[in-house]
Coordinates of all heavy atoms in Angstrom, one line a residue:
L381 N 0.3 21.9 4.9 CA 0.0 21.7 3.4 C 1.0 22.4 2.7 O 1.5 21.9 1.4 CB -1.4 22.3 3.2 CG -2.0 22.3 1.7 CD1 -1.9 21.0 1.2 CD2 -3.4 22.8 1.8
V382 N 1.5 23.6 3.2 CA 2.6 24.3 2.4 C 3.8 23.3 2.2 O 4.4 23.3 1.1 CB 3.0 25.6 3.0 CG1 4.3 26.1 2.5 CG2 1.9 26.6 3.1
V385 N 3.1 20.7 -0.6 CA 3.2 21.2 -1.9 C 4.6 21.4 -2.3 O 5.1 21.0 -3.3 CB 2.5 22.6 -2.1 CG1 2.8 23.3 -3.4 CG2 1.0 22.4 -1.8
N389 N 6.7 19.4 -5.3 CA 7.6 20.2 -6.3 C 8.9 19.8 -6.3 O 9.5 19.8 -7.4 CB 7.4 21.7 -6.0 CG 6.0 22.3 -6.4 OD1 5.3 21.7 -7.1 ND2 5.7 23.4 -5.7
W429 N -5.2 13.2 3.8 CA -6.5 13.0 3.0 C -7.2 14.4 2.9 O -7.7 14.8 1.8 CB -7.4 12.1 3.7 CG -8.6 11.7 3.0 CD1 -9.8 12.4 2.8 CD2 -8.8 10.5 2.2 NE1 -10.7 11.7 2.0 CE2 -10.1 10.6 1.6 CE3 -8.0 9.4 1.7 CZ2 -10.6 9.6 0.7 CZ3 -8.5 8.5 1.0 CH2 -9.8 8.6 0.4
G430 N -7.2 15.2 4.0 CA -7.8 16.5 3.9 C -7.1 17.4 3.0 O -7.6 18.3 2.3
W431 N -5.7 17.3 3.1 CA -4.9 18.2 2.2 C -5.2 17.9 0.8 O -5.5 18.8 -0.1 CB -3.4 17.9 2.4 CG -2.9 18.4 3.8 CD1 -3.6 19.2 4.7 CD2 -1.6 18.2 4.3 NE1 -2.8 19.4 5.8 CE2 -1.5 18.8 5.6 CE3 -0.5 17.4 4.0 CZ2 -0.5 18.7 6.5 CZ3 0.5 17.2 4.7 CH2 0.6 17.9 6.1
K432 N -5.3 16.6 0.4 CA -5.6 16.2 -0.9 C -6.9 16.7 -1.4 O -7.1 17.3 -2.6 CB -5.5 14.7 -1.0 CG -5.9 14.2 -2.4 CD -7.3 13.5 -2.5 CE -7.6 12.5 -1.5 NZ -9.0 12.0 -1.4
D433 N -7.9 16.6 -0.6 CA -9.4 17.0 -1.0 C -9.3 18.6 -1.1 O -10.0 19.2 -1.9 CB -10.4 16.7 0.1 CG -10.8 15.2 -0.1 OD1 -10.3 14.5 -1.1 OD2 -11.5 14.7 0.7
R434 N -8.6 19.3 -0.2 CA -8.6 20.8 -0.2 C -8.0 21.3 -1.5 O -8.3 22.4 -2.0 CB -7.9 21.3 1.0 CG -8.7 21.4 2.3 CD -7.9 21.7 3.4 NE -7.2 22.9 3.3 CZ -6.3 23.4 4.1 NH1 -5.9 22.8 5.1 NH2 -5.8 24.6 4.0
M435 N -7.0 20.5 -2.0 CA -6.2 21.0 -3.2 C -6.9 20.6 -4.5 O -6.4 21.1 -5.6 CB -4.8 20.5 -3.1 CG -3.9 21.0 -2.0 SD -3.5 22.7 -2.5 CE -4.7 23.5 -1.4
L436 N -8.0 19.8 -4.5 CA -8.6 19.4 -5.7 C -9.1 20.7 -6.4 O -9.9 21.5 -5.8 CB -9.8 18.4 -5.4 CG -9.4 17.0 -5.0 CD1 -10.7 16.3 -4.7 CD2 -8.6 16.4 -6.1
G437 N -8.7 20.9 -7.6 CA -9.1 22.1 -8.4 C -8.4 23.3 -8.2 O -8.7 24.3 -8.8
Q438 N -7.4 23.2 -7.3 CA -6.7 24.5 -6.9 C -5.5 24.7 -7.7 O -4.9 25.7 -7.6 CB -6.3 24.4 -5.4 CG -7.5 24.4 -4.5 CD -8.4 25.6 -4.6 OE1 -8.0 26.7 -4.6 NE2 -9.7 25.2 -4.9
K439 N -5.1 23.7 -8.5 CA -3.9 23.8 -9.4 C -2.6 24.2 -8.7 O -1.9 25.0 -9.2 CB -4.2 24.9 -10.5 CG -5.4 24.6 -11.4 CD -5.6 25.5 -12.6 CE -6.8 25.2 -13.4 NZ -6.9 26.1 -14.6
R440 N -2.5 23.5 -7.6 CA -1.3 23.7 -6.8 C -0.3 22.5 -7.2 O 0.9 22.4 -6.9 CB -1.5 23.7 -5.3 CG -2.2 25.0 -4.9 CD -1.5 26.2 -5.1 NE -0.1 26.2 -4.5 CZ -0.1 26.5 -3.1 NH1 -1.1 26.7 -2.4 NH2 1.1 26.5 -2.5
W441 N -0.9 21.3 -7.5 CA -0.2 20.1 -8.1 C -1.3 19.4 -8.9 O -2.5 19.9 -9.1 CB 0.2 19.3 -7.0 CG -0.8 18.8 -5.9 CD1 -2.1 18.4 -6.2 CD2 -0.6 18.7 -4.5 NE1 -2.7 18.0 -5.0 CE2 -1.9 18.2 -4.0 CE3 0.5 19.0 -3.7 CZ2 -2.0 17.9 -2.6 CZ3 0.3 18.8 -2.4 CH2 -0.9 18.2 -1.8
Y442 N -0.9 18.4 -9.7 CA -1.8 17.7 -10.5 C -2.0 16.4 -9.9 O -1.1 15.6 -9.5 CB -1.1 17.4 -12.0 CG -2.0 16.7 -12.9 CD1 -2.7 17.3 -13.9 CD2 -2.3 15.3 -12.9 CE1 -3.5 16.8 -14.9 CE2 -3.1 14.7 -13.7 CZ -3.7 15.5 -14.7 OH -4.6 14.8 -15.6
Y443 N -3.3 16.0 -9.6 CA -3.6 14.9 -8.8 C -4.6 14.0 -9.6 O -5.6 14.4 -10.1 CB -4.3 15.2 -7.5 CG -4.8 14.0 -6.7 CD1 -4.1 13.2 -5.9 CD2 -6.2 13.6 -6.9 CE1 -4.5 12.1 -5.2 CE2 -6.7 12.5 -6.2 CZ -5.8 11.7 -5.4 OH -6.3 10.7 -4.7
A444 N -4.2 12.7 -9.8 CA -5.1 11.7 -10.5 C -4.5 10.4 -10.3 O -3.3 10.2 -9.9 CB -5.2 12.1 -12.0
M453 N 0.5 12.4 -7.2 CA 0.7 13.8 -7.1 C 1.8 14.3 -8.0 O 3.0 13.7 -7.8 CB 0.8 14.3 -5.6 CG -0.5 14.0 -4.9 SD -0.2 14.1 -3.1 CE -1.9 14.4 -2.6
I454 N 1.6 15.1 -8.9 CA 2.6 15.6 -9.9 C 2.8 17.1 -9.8 O 1.7 17.7 -9.8 CB 2.2 15.1 -11.3 CG1 2.0 13.6 -11.3 CG2 3.2 15.6 -12.3 CD1 1.4 13.1 -12.7
S455 N 4.0 17.5 -9.8 CA 4.2 19.0 -9.8 C 3.7 19.6 -11.1 O 3.7 18.8 -12.1 CB 5.7 19.3 -9.5 OG 6.4 19.0 -10.8
L456 N 3.3 20.8 -11.1 CA 2.8 21.4 -12.4 C 4.0 21.6 -13.3 O 3.8 21.7 -14.5 CB 2.3 22.8 -12.0 CG 1.0 22.8 -11.1 CD1 0.4 24.2 -11.0 CD2 0.0 21.8 -11.7
L532 N -9.7 14.1 -14.7 CA -9.0 14.1 -13.4 C -10.1 14.7 -12.4 O -11.1 15.4 -12.8 CB -7.8 15.1 -13.3 CG -8.0 16.6 -13.2 CD1 -6.7 17.3 -12.9 CD2 -8.6 17.2 -14.5
P533 N -10.0 14.4 -11.1 CA -10.9 14.9 -10.1 C -10.6 16.4 -9.7 O -9.4 16.7 -9.7 CB -10.7 14.0 -8.8 CG -9.2 13.6 -9.0 CD -9.0 13.4 -10.5
V534 N -11.6 17.2 -9.7 CA -11.4 18.5 -9.4 C -12.2 19.1 -8.3 O -12.1 20.3 -7.9 CB -11.8 19.5 -10.8 CG1 -11.0 19.0 -11.9 CG2 -13.3 19.3 -11.0
G535 N -12.8 18.3 -7.5 CA -13.5 18.6 -6.3 C -14.3 17.5 -5.8 O -14.2 16.3 -6.2
V536 N -15.0 17.7 -4.6 CA -15.8 16.8 -3.9 C -17.2 17.2 -3.8 O -17.5 18.4 -3.4 CB -15.2 16.5 -2.5 CG1 -16.0 15.5 -1.8 CG2 -13.7 15.8 -2.6
F546 N -16.2 12.3 -5.8 CA -15.3 13.1 -6.6 C -16.2 13.7 -7.8 O -17.0 13.1 -8.2 CB -14.2 12.3 -7.2 CG -13.0 12.1 -6.2 CD1 -12.1 11.0 -6.4 CD2 -12.6 13.0 -5.3 CE1 -11.1 10.8 -5.6 CE2 -11.5 12.9 -4.5 CZ -10.7 11.8 -4.6
I547 N -15.8 14.9 -8.0 CA -16.2 15.6 -9.1 C -15.1 15.5 -10.3 O -14.0 15.8 -10.0 CB -16.5 17.1 -9.0 CG1 -17.7 17.2 -7.9 CG2 -17.0 17.9 -10.2 CD1 -17.8 18.6 -7.3
E549 N -13.6 16.2 -14.2 CA -13.7 17.1 -15.4 C -12.5 16.7 -16.4 O -11.6 15.9 -16.1 CB -13.3 18.5 -15.0 CG -13.2 19.6 -16.0 CD -14.4 19.8 -17.0 OE1 -14.8 18.9 -17.7 OE2 -15.0 21.0 -16.9
R553 N -9.9 20.9 -20.4 CA -10.7 22.2 -19.9 C -10.2 22.6 -18.6 O -10.2 23.9 -18.4 CB -12.1 21.8 -19.8 CG -12.8 21.6 -21.2 CD -14.3 21.8 -21.1 NE -14.9 20.6 -20.4 CZ -15.8 19.8 -21.0 NH1 -16.1 19.9 -22.2 NH2 -16.3 18.8 -20.2
H554 N -9.8 21.7 -17.7 CA -9.3 22.2 -16.4 C -7.8 22.8 -16.5 O -7.4 23.7 -15.7 CB -9.4 21.1 -15.4 CG -9.2 21.6 -14.0 ND1 -9.9 22.3 -13.2 CD2 -8.0 21.3 -13.1 CE1 -9.6 22.6 -12.1 NE2 -8.3 22.0 -12.0
H555 N -7.0 22.1 -17.3 CA -5.6 22.5 -17.5 C -5.3 22.7 -19.0 O -4.5 22.1 -19.6 CB -4.7 21.4 -17.0 CG -4.5 21.3 -15.4 ND1 -3.8 22.3 -14.7 CD2 -5.0 20.3 -14.6 CE1 -3.8 21.8 -13.5 NE2 -4.6 20.8 -13.3
P556 N -6.0 23.7 -19.4 CA -5.8 24.0 -21.0 C -4.4 24.4 -21.3 O -3.9 24.1 -22.5 CB -6.7 25.2 -21.2 CG -6.9 25.9 -20.0 CD -6.9 24.7 -19.0
E557 N -3.6 24.8 -20.4 CA -2.2 25.2 -20.6 C -1.3 23.9 -20.9 O -0.3 24.0 -21.6 CB -1.6 26.0 -19.3 CG -1.3 25.2 -18.1 CD -2.6 24.7 -17.3 OE1 -3.7 25.2 -17.6 OE2 -2.4 24.0 -16.3

Side-chain angles (χ1 to χ4, degrees):
L381 178 54
V382 171
V385 173
N389 287 337
W429 190 277
W431 292 348
K432 177 260 297 177
D433 284 355
R434 284 171 57 189
M435 287 293 101
L436 291 177
Q438 298 303 305
K439 299 185 179 182
R440 299 293 301 281
W441 54 42
Y442 186 102
Y443 173 84
M453 291 163 160
I454 302 170
S455 74
L456 298 184
L532 80 168
V534 296
V536 174
F546 275 152
I547 300 168
E549 174 60 297
R553 287 199 291 241
H554 189 70
H555 282 288
E557 72 284 354

